[in-house]
Each structure stands twice: as structure tokens, then as C-alpha cells.
Amino acid sequence: VEYSDEDVLFNIPLKDWLSYAFTVGFFIGKWPAYKFVPSITRAQRPKVLIVLFVLTSILLTGLLPLQGHAPIKILGVLIGCVCCSAIFGVEFLYF
């Protein structure tokens, strides 16, 4: 992501907002993942992995090229990291 001096929200640079969103997204995503991952059956694991990877990819990379939409970028990273936090648990069970 290219950053410019204009990418500031509440006097905090976009780069810092994305870092905060990444960390908070993984933190928030752990609680649902602890409930969600053990309830997945063996037959559902490949489908769940595909859905989580696609959702995470769209949210983490699809919204970042938008120019001048800092809140949308931050929200995309936050929600993408919530989805991404369950991927490791599902992969661990799958393999």
C-alpha cells in the first residue's frame, strides 16, 4: 500500500491505523475461532478453508487499492484479520 501525507485519520497516519486494525482483528477473531473451529466436521473443513481464504483475500487485498477511503481500508483489514485468525486452527485440524 502506498502511503501519502494526506492519508491521516484523526491525526494518526493510515499506516498506524492498519497496524492497529491488524492486531485488534486477530485479537477479536480468536474468541469466535475457539468456538467455531472445534465444531467443524471433517467433511466441512476443505469448504470452510476455501471460504475463509477467499474472504480474507478479498478483505485484506481487495479494499486496499481504493484511493482516499481510509476508513474502508481500516475496516477491511480489521474484518479480514478476524476471518484469518480461524484459518490456522482449521488448517491444523485438516492436516
Side-chain angles (χ1 to χ4, degrees):
V1 177
E2 292 183 17
Y3 303 102
S4 67
D5 295 333
E6 298 172 4
D7 291 332
V8 175
L9 189 64
F10 301 116
N11 292 328
I12 299 174
L14 178 61
K15 185 176 180 180
D16 293 343
W17 277 110
L18 293 175
S19 299
Y20 299 148
F22 186 84
T23 305
V24 170
F26 270 101
F27 174 73
I28 292 171
K30 288 301 174 192
W31 290 317
Y34 285 134
K35 292 283 190 183
F36 171 69
V37 171
S39 67
I40 300 171
T41 64
R42 180 173 284 239
Q44 293 173 332
R45 289 178 193 156
K47 296 173 192 169
V48 169
L49 271 176
I50 291 169
V51 168
L52 286 174
F53 272 115
V54 168
L55 207 83
T56 301
S57 300
I58 290 170
L59 290 168
L60 288 178
T61 59
L63 299 176
L64 291 178
L66 296 174
Q67 297 295 325
H69 295 93
I72 294 173
K73 293 178 186 181
I74 295 165
L75 191 63
V77 169
L78 179 74
I79 297 171
C81 289
V82 169
C83 299
C84 192
S85 66
I87 289 176
F88 176 76
V90 177
E91 283 180 346
F92 189 72
L93 286 175
Y94 184 73
F95 293 120

